[in-house]
CSV table of all heavy atoms in Angstrom, one decimal:
chain,number,residue,atom,x,y,z
M,402,PHE,N,-10.0,156.3,-68.8
M,402,PHE,CA,-11.3,155.9,-68.5
M,402,PHE,C,-11.8,156.5,-67.2
M,402,PHE,O,-13.0,156.9,-67.0
M,402,PHE,CB,-11.4,154.4,-68.5
M,402,PHE,CG,-11.5,153.7,-69.8
M,402,PHE,CD1,-10.6,152.8,-70.3
M,402,PHE,CD2,-12.5,154.1,-70.7
M,402,PHE,CE1,-10.7,152.2,-71.5
M,402,PHE,CE2,-12.6,153.5,-72.0
M,402,PHE,CZ,-11.7,152.5,-72.4
M,403,SER,N,-10.9,156.5,-66.2
M,403,SER,CA,-11.2,157.0,-64.9
M,403,SER,C,-11.5,158.5,-65.0
M,403,SER,O,-12.5,159.0,-64.4
M,403,SER,CB,-10.0,156.8,-63.9
M,403,SER,OG,-10.2,157.5,-62.7
M,404,LEU,N,-10.8,159.2,-65.8
M,404,LEU,CA,-11.0,160.7,-66.0
M,404,LEU,C,-12.4,160.9,-66.6
M,404,LEU,O,-13.1,161.8,-66.1
M,404,LEU,CB,-9.9,161.2,-66.9
M,404,LEU,CG,-9.9,162.7,-67.1
M,404,LEU,CD1,-9.6,163.5,-65.9
M,404,LEU,CD2,-8.9,163.1,-68.2
M,405,VAL,N,-12.7,160.1,-67.6
M,405,VAL,CA,-14.0,160.3,-68.3
M,405,VAL,C,-15.2,160.0,-67.3
M,405,VAL,O,-16.2,160.7,-67.2
M,405,VAL,CB,-14.1,159.4,-69.5
M,405,VAL,CG1,-15.5,159.4,-70.1
M,405,VAL,CG2,-13.1,159.9,-70.6
M,406,ALA,N,-15.0,158.9,-66.6
M,406,ALA,CA,-16.1,158.5,-65.6
M,406,ALA,C,-16.3,159.5,-64.6
M,406,ALA,O,-17.4,159.9,-64.2
M,406,ALA,CB,-15.7,157.2,-65.0
M,407,ARG,N,-15.2,160.1,-64.0
M,407,ARG,CA,-15.3,161.1,-62.9
M,407,ARG,C,-15.9,162.4,-63.5
M,407,ARG,O,-16.7,163.1,-62.7
M,407,ARG,CB,-13.9,161.4,-62.4
M,407,ARG,CG,-13.4,160.4,-61.4
M,407,ARG,CD,-12.2,160.9,-60.7
M,407,ARG,NE,-11.8,160.1,-59.5
M,407,ARG,CZ,-10.9,160.5,-58.6
M,407,ARG,NH1,-10.3,161.6,-58.8
M,407,ARG,NH2,-10.7,159.7,-57.6
M,408,SER,N,-15.7,162.7,-64.7
M,408,SER,CA,-16.2,164.0,-65.3
M,408,SER,C,-17.6,163.9,-65.7
M,408,SER,O,-18.4,164.8,-65.5
M,408,SER,CB,-15.3,164.4,-66.4
M,408,SER,OG,-13.9,164.6,-66.0
M,409,PHE,N,-18.0,162.8,-66.3
M,409,PHE,CA,-19.3,162.7,-66.9
M,409,PHE,C,-20.3,161.7,-66.2
M,409,PHE,O,-21.5,161.8,-66.4
M,409,PHE,CB,-19.2,162.3,-68.4
M,409,PHE,CG,-18.4,163.3,-69.2
M,409,PHE,CD1,-17.1,163.0,-69.6
M,409,PHE,CD2,-19.0,164.5,-69.6
M,409,PHE,CE1,-16.3,163.9,-70.3
M,409,PHE,CE2,-18.2,165.4,-70.4
M,409,PHE,CZ,-16.9,165.1,-70.7
M,410,ALA,N,-19.8,160.9,-65.3
M,410,ALA,CA,-20.7,160.0,-64.6
M,410,ALA,C,-20.2,159.8,-63.2
M,410,ALA,O,-19.8,158.8,-62.7
M,410,ALA,CB,-20.7,158.6,-65.3
M,411,PRO,N,-20.1,161.0,-62.4
M,411,PRO,CA,-19.5,160.9,-61.1
M,411,PRO,C,-20.2,160.0,-60.1
M,411,PRO,O,-19.6,159.4,-59.3
M,411,PRO,CB,-19.5,162.4,-60.6
M,411,PRO,CG,-20.6,163.0,-61.4
M,411,PRO,CD,-20.5,162.3,-62.8
M,412,THR,N,-21.5,160.0,-60.2
M,412,THR,CA,-22.3,159.1,-59.3
M,412,THR,C,-22.0,157.7,-59.5
M,412,THR,O,-21.8,156.9,-58.6
M,412,THR,CB,-23.8,159.4,-59.4
M,412,THR,OG1,-24.0,160.8,-59.2
M,412,THR,CG2,-24.6,158.6,-58.4
M,413,PHE,N,-22.0,157.3,-60.8
M,413,PHE,CA,-21.7,155.9,-61.1
M,413,PHE,C,-20.3,155.5,-60.7
M,413,PHE,O,-20.0,154.4,-60.1
M,413,PHE,CB,-21.8,155.7,-62.7
M,413,PHE,CG,-21.2,154.4,-63.2
M,413,PHE,CD1,-22.0,153.2,-63.0
M,413,PHE,CD2,-20.0,154.3,-63.7
M,413,PHE,CE1,-21.4,152.0,-63.4
M,413,PHE,CE2,-19.4,153.1,-64.1
M,413,PHE,CZ,-20.2,152.0,-64.0
M,414,PHE,N,-19.3,156.4,-60.9
M,414,PHE,CA,-17.9,156.2,-60.5
M,414,PHE,C,-17.8,155.9,-59.0
M,414,PHE,O,-17.1,155.1,-58.5
M,414,PHE,CB,-17.0,157.3,-61.0
M,414,PHE,CG,-15.6,157.1,-60.7
M,414,PHE,CD1,-14.8,156.3,-61.6
M,414,PHE,CD2,-14.9,157.6,-59.7
M,414,PHE,CE1,-13.5,156.1,-61.4
M,414,PHE,CE2,-13.6,157.5,-59.4
M,414,PHE,CZ,-12.8,156.6,-60.3
M,415,SER,N,-18.5,156.8,-58.3
M,415,SER,CA,-18.5,156.7,-56.8
M,415,SER,C,-19.1,155.3,-56.3
M,415,SER,O,-18.6,154.7,-55.5
M,415,SER,CB,-19.3,157.8,-56.2
M,415,SER,OG,-19.4,157.7,-54.8
M,416,LYS,N,-20.2,154.9,-57.0
M,416,LYS,CA,-20.8,153.6,-56.6
M,416,LYS,C,-19.9,152.5,-56.9
M,416,LYS,O,-19.8,151.5,-56.1
M,416,LYS,CB,-22.1,153.4,-57.3
M,416,LYS,CG,-23.3,154.3,-56.9
M,416,LYS,CD,-24.5,154.1,-57.7
M,416,LYS,CE,-25.7,154.9,-57.2
M,416,LYS,NZ,-26.9,154.7,-57.9
M,417,PHE,N,-19.1,152.6,-58.0
M,417,PHE,CA,-18.1,151.6,-58.3
M,417,PHE,C,-17.0,151.5,-57.2
M,417,PHE,O,-16.7,150.4,-56.8
M,417,PHE,CB,-17.5,151.9,-59.7
M,417,PHE,CG,-16.4,151.0,-60.0
M,417,PHE,CD1,-16.6,149.7,-60.5
M,417,PHE,CD2,-15.1,151.4,-59.9
M,417,PHE,CE1,-15.6,148.8,-60.8
M,417,PHE,CE2,-14.0,150.6,-60.2
M,417,PHE,CZ,-14.2,149.3,-60.7
M,418,GLN,N,-16.6,152.7,-56.8
M,418,GLN,CA,-15.5,152.7,-55.7
M,418,GLN,C,-16.1,152.1,-54.5
M,418,GLN,O,-15.4,151.3,-53.8
M,418,GLN,CB,-15.1,154.1,-55.5
M,418,GLN,CG,-14.2,154.7,-56.6
M,418,GLN,CD,-13.7,156.1,-56.3
M,418,GLN,OE1,-14.5,157.0,-56.0
M,418,GLN,NE2,-12.4,156.3,-56.4
M,419,VAL,N,-17.3,152.5,-54.1
M,419,VAL,CA,-17.9,152.0,-52.8
M,419,VAL,C,-18.1,150.5,-52.8
M,419,VAL,O,-17.8,149.8,-51.9
M,419,VAL,CB,-19.2,152.7,-52.5
M,419,VAL,CG1,-19.9,152.1,-51.3
M,419,VAL,CG2,-19.0,154.2,-52.3
M,420,SER,N,-18.5,150.0,-54.0
M,420,SER,CA,-18.7,148.6,-54.1
M,420,SER,C,-17.5,147.7,-54.0
M,420,SER,O,-17.5,146.6,-53.7
M,420,SER,CB,-19.4,148.2,-55.4
M,420,SER,OG,-18.6,148.5,-56.5
M,421,ASN,N,-16.3,148.4,-54.2
M,421,ASN,CA,-15.0,147.7,-54.1
M,421,ASN,C,-14.3,148.1,-52.8
M,421,ASN,O,-13.1,147.9,-52.8
M,421,ASN,CB,-14.2,148.1,-55.4
M,421,ASN,CG,-14.6,147.4,-56.6
M,421,ASN,OD1,-14.3,146.2,-56.8
M,421,ASN,ND2,-15.5,148.0,-57.4
M,422,SER,N,-15.0,148.7,-51.9
M,422,SER,CA,-14.4,149.0,-50.6
M,422,SER,C,-15.1,148.3,-49.5
M,422,SER,O,-16.2,147.8,-49.7
M,422,SER,CB,-14.4,150.5,-50.4
M,422,SER,OG,-15.7,151.0,-50.3
M,423,ARG,N,-14.5,148.3,-48.3
M,423,ARG,CA,-15.1,147.6,-47.2
M,423,ARG,C,-15.1,148.5,-46.0
M,423,ARG,O,-14.0,149.1,-45.7
M,423,ARG,CB,-14.4,146.3,-46.9
M,423,ARG,CG,-15.1,145.4,-45.9
M,423,ARG,CD,-14.3,144.1,-45.8
M,423,ARG,NE,-14.3,143.3,-47.1
M,423,ARG,CZ,-15.3,142.5,-47.4
M,423,ARG,NH1,-16.3,142.3,-46.6
M,423,ARG,NH2,-15.2,141.9,-48.6
M,424,ASP,N,-16.2,148.7,-45.3
M,424,ASP,CA,-16.3,149.6,-44.1
M,424,ASP,C,-16.2,148.8,-42.8
M,424,ASP,O,-17.0,147.9,-42.5
M,424,ASP,CB,-17.6,150.3,-44.2
M,424,ASP,CG,-17.8,151.3,-43.2
M,424,ASP,OD1,-16.9,151.5,-42.4
M,424,ASP,OD2,-18.9,152.0,-43.1
M,425,TYR,N,-15.1,149.1,-42.0
M,425,TYR,CA,-14.9,148.4,-40.8
M,425,TYR,C,-16.0,148.6,-39.7
M,425,TYR,O,-16.1,147.9,-38.8
M,425,TYR,CB,-13.5,148.7,-40.2
M,425,TYR,CG,-13.3,150.1,-39.8
M,425,TYR,CD1,-13.8,150.6,-38.6
M,425,TYR,CD2,-12.6,151.0,-40.7
M,425,TYR,CE1,-13.6,151.9,-38.3
M,425,TYR,CE2,-12.4,152.3,-40.3
M,425,TYR,CZ,-12.8,152.8,-39.1
M,425,TYR,OH,-12.7,154.1,-38.8
M,426,GLU,N,-16.7,149.7,-39.9
M,426,GLU,CA,-17.7,150.0,-38.8
M,426,GLU,C,-18.9,149.1,-38.8
M,426,GLU,O,-19.7,149.0,-37.9
M,426,GLU,CB,-18.2,151.5,-39.1
M,426,GLU,CG,-17.2,152.5,-38.7
M,426,GLU,CD,-17.5,153.9,-39.2
M,426,GLU,OE1,-18.3,154.0,-40.2
M,426,GLU,OE2,-17.1,154.9,-38.7
M,427,SER,N,-19.0,148.2,-39.9
M,427,SER,CA,-20.1,147.3,-40.0
M,427,SER,C,-19.8,146.0,-39.1
M,427,SER,O,-20.7,145.3,-38.7
M,427,SER,CB,-20.3,146.8,-41.4
M,427,SER,OG,-19.1,146.2,-41.9
M,428,PHE,N,-18.5,145.8,-38.7
M,428,PHE,CA,-18.2,144.7,-37.9
M,428,PHE,C,-17.4,145.0,-36.6
M,428,PHE,O,-17.0,144.2,-35.8
M,428,PHE,CB,-17.4,143.6,-38.7
M,428,PHE,CG,-16.1,144.1,-39.2
M,428,PHE,CD1,-15.0,144.0,-38.5
M,428,PHE,CD2,-16.0,144.6,-40.5
M,428,PHE,CE1,-13.7,144.5,-39.0
M,428,PHE,CE2,-14.8,145.0,-41.0
M,428,PHE,CZ,-13.7,145.0,-40.3
M,429,CYS,N,-17.1,146.3,-36.4
M,429,CYS,CA,-16.4,146.8,-35.2
M,429,CYS,C,-17.3,147.5,-34.3
M,429,CYS,O,-18.2,148.2,-34.7
M,429,CYS,CB,-15.2,147.7,-35.7
M,429,CYS,SG,-13.8,146.8,-36.3
M,430,GLU,N,-16.9,147.5,-33.0
M,430,GLU,CA,-17.5,148.3,-32.0
M,430,GLU,C,-16.6,149.3,-31.5
M,430,GLU,O,-15.4,149.0,-31.2
M,430,GLU,CB,-18.0,147.4,-30.9
M,430,GLU,CG,-19.2,146.5,-31.2
M,430,GLU,CD,-19.6,145.6,-30.1
M,430,GLU,OE1,-18.7,145.2,-29.3
M,430,GLU,OE2,-20.8,145.3,-30.0
M,431,PRO,N,-17.0,150.5,-31.1
M,431,PRO,CA,-16.1,151.5,-30.6
M,431,PRO,C,-15.8,151.2,-29.1
M,431,PRO,O,-16.7,150.8,-28.4
M,431,PRO,CB,-16.9,152.8,-30.8
M,431,PRO,CG,-18.3,152.4,-30.7
M,431,PRO,CD,-18.4,151.1,-31.3
M,432,GLN,N,-14.6,151.6,-28.7
M,432,GLN,CA,-14.2,151.5,-27.3
M,432,GLN,C,-13.5,152.7,-26.9
M,432,GLN,O,-13.0,153.4,-27.7
M,432,GLN,CB,-13.3,150.2,-27.1
M,432,GLN,CG,-14.0,148.9,-27.2
M,432,GLN,CD,-13.1,147.7,-26.9
M,432,GLN,OE1,-11.9,147.8,-26.8
M,432,GLN,NE2,-13.7,146.6,-26.6
Side-chain angles (χ1 to χ4, degrees):
F402 280 124
S403 173
L404 181 68
V405 171
R407 281 191 167 191
S408 300
F409 299 102
T412 304
F413 169 79
F414 185 79
S415 175
K416 288 180 179 178
F417 173 78
Q418 286 183 308
V419 171
S420 66
N421 285 276
S422 64
R423 190 174 298 274
D424 185 359
Y425 62 81
E426 289 165 335
S427 62
F428 61 85
C429 282
E430 292 179 321
Q432 292 186 339

